[in-house]
Structures are given as C-alpha cells and as structure tokens.
Amino acid sequence: MDGELLVVNIDINPIAWESHMSGMNITDIFDQLVVFLNAYIFTESRNKVAIIAFHQNDSFFLVKNLEHSVFSSVTSELVENLRSADMENIGDKPVVTARSLSMALCYINQYMETETTEKKLQPRILFISSSYDDPEQYIPFINCVYQSVRMKIPIDAIDLTDEESPMLAQASHLTKGIYIHPNHPTGFLQYLMTIFMVDSDTRTMLPMPTPQKIDFRSSCFCHQESIDEGYVCSLCYAVYCNDKTECDICGARFVDSKKR
C-alpha cells in the first residue's frame, strides 16, 4: 500500500437524525468517525483525509489535508466548523448529495493535478448517509458517479437509514466500491474498522461484503421518478417515462412511434 487520499462525505441532515436514527445522534457518529480516522491515518504514514459535510442547504469542507502530523487538532476543528454551519430554514428538502460528490471529485482532481511526488495517493470516497434517496438528485448524482468511474475512484457507502439506498448501491457497484446497509447502526465504528479501513488493493485479497440485490432502475428526466421501462434518447441517453417528439436535454427530434 502506497497510501490513500480518503474523502469522507457525511450527511448531517438534522431532520433525518432526529426521525429515524434511534439510539444514535450526530455527536456519537462524529466521535466514532474520529476514532476511525485516527486509526486509518496511523496505519499508513502517507494517508490523508478530507471531510465534507452536507445537508439540505449546502455542502462544505469540515477539514482538508488531514494527515498524521496534524491529527491532534482535528476534533476541535470539526466541532468549530459544524457549529458554524448554516442549519436554519432547511425545511423538508432533499440533501445535496450530488453537490457533495461533485466537491469530492473536484478536490481529488485538484490534488492529482498539483501533486508532484512520483507515487501519488490512491483516492477513495466514503459516503455516510442518514437521509433517504431523492429522485431529483439521481441524475446529477449518477453523472458524478460516471466521472468517478472514468477517474477510477471507488465510492464506498454506509447507509444508516432504515431503507436501502439504490443510488448509493449503484454508485458503489459501478465504481467497484463497497455499499453496506447495517442491521444495527449502533455498531457504526465496528463497520468502519472492519470494512472501510481496508485499502482498494488489499480488498482484492479479502472476502468483502457485497449487496444481495441492487436496484438498477433509472429516474426519468421528465418527472424524476424511478421507472422499470422507458424511452431513451439515442444521442444523449436521457430517459423518459413517456414517448416524446423531442429530447428536452439535447433537442434531438424523435420518429413518431406510430410510424415506426
């Protein structure tokens, strides 16, 4: 292992934590996350970590370039940045999952472009989610996932809701990451230490958990709803639940289905 750049995307949606995360709260999660990151950084001196928090209104960095030499100050920095987060007037809106993934990819790309050492760190993204999927987030999120595939960045995800997330499961599957939906979220730290501590190269030699079934249904571009069958634009691959004469995305004109 030559070292990794781990970008943690953590959902801090207060409504989600209060509604269905029985027995745990965001403070518990961060306490256990700090323990994990401490162990993760000390397993390899070159490992680096960045943490992105996201909720309904915004996504932002809690900490950047966290490494062995500066870890002692991470807890106070995390708490200070969390307290400064704008959590007012969030309402019953979806969390900005796609925006947080986009930030992670931009951060990793910047590192890859500016890093001058011969052996660059292997990037990896870890999602910690406490919110349900929102259909409106599917299209921009999956676009970011395809970019992760091109950049060869695995996306891991630990889903702490009481329903499995098709979006995160698809992201992990497509990027060769790991998705888990724990039966007992109170064992959060144990899942982190036993599954997500392992780097991408070592995983090829170990039996890692895989989901039993993945929902690969796409969301239509017209109503943002998951569909089993639909119409696909042959030019830009936009998906629609109803037959159309023209693509709303690229403007391509379709042949009337009645004349086919």
Side-chain angles (χ1 to χ4, degrees), residues 241-256:
C241 58
N242 297 315
D243 197 3
K244 300 176 71 67
T245 59
E246 183 177 323
C247 178
D248 296 335
I249 305 302
C250 67
R253 298 190 63 82
F254 305 138
V255 177
D256 189 345

Side-chain angles (χ1 to χ4, degrees), residues 82-258:
L82 271 176
R83 287 177 176 174
S84 63
D86 180 16
M87 305 291 283
E88 297 182 358
N89 302 319
I90 59 175
D92 187 17
K93 299 185 294 185
V95 294
V96 290
T97 311
R99 184 191 302 181
S100 69
L101 178 54
S102 178
M103 285 184 63
L105 292 174
C106 289
Y107 175 76
I108 292 172
N109 184 67
Q110 182 182 37
Y111 162 79
M112 299 298 287
E113 292 291 333
T114 57
E115 181 62 34
T116 57
T117 58
E118 183 177 348
K119 291 186 177 180
K120 296 182 179 181
L121 302 179
Q122 171 62 42
R124 176 160 60 101
I125 296 173
L126 171 60
F127 261 91
I128 301 172
S129 175
S130 63
S131 300
Y132 300 118
D133 286 354
D134 182 79
E136 293 185 1
Q137 289 284 307
Y138 179 81
I139 295 169
F141 181 80
I142 285 298
N143 285 338
C144 290
V145 171
Y146 290 144
Q147 181 60 35
S148 300
V149 174
R150 286 190 286 269
M151 297 173 68
K152 298 181 179 180
I153 302 172
I155 298 177
D156 295 334
I158 178 168
D159 181 8
L160 300 176
T161 64
D162 51 12
E163 296 180 5
E164 292 191 3
S165 165
M167 272 197 343
L168 292 178
Q170 289 181 31
S172 296
H173 176 79
L174 292 171
T175 60
K176 299 181 180 180
I178 297 175
Y179 167 84
I180 63 169
H181 181 251
N183 294 325
H184 305 285
T186 50
F188 177 69
L189 179 58
Q190 182 177 351
Y191 290 108
L192 290 177
M193 299 292 283
T194 58
I195 298 176
F196 299 111
M197 180 73 73
V198 183
D199 64 272
S200 302
D201 293 334
T202 306
R203 289 178 181 182
T204 60
M205 299 179 284
L206 297 174
M208 304 304 292
T210 56
Q212 298 296 321
K213 184 179 180 181
I214 300 177
D215 184 357
F216 284 105
R217 291 184 301 170
S218 177
S219 292
C220 65
F221 281 45
C222 42
H223 301 96
Q224 310 294 332
E225 296 180 353
S226 297
I227 55 175
D228 296 305
E229 296 181 353
Y231 299 86
V232 181
C233 174
S234 60
L235 189 62
C236 69
Y237 301 110
V239 179
Y240 300 99
C241 58
N242 297 315
D243 197 3
K244 300 176 71 67
T245 59
E246 183 177 323
C247 178
D248 296 335
I249 305 302
C250 67
R253 298 190 63 82
F254 305 138
V255 177
D256 189 345
S257 61
K258 297 179 180 180

Side-chain angles (χ1 to χ4, degrees), residues 45-60:
S45 60
R46 295 190 65 216
N47 282 353
K48 292 185 179 182
V49 174
I51 305 176
I52 298 174
F54 62 97
H55 52 78
Q56 287 89 330
N57 287 341
D58 196 13
S59 59
F60 53 93

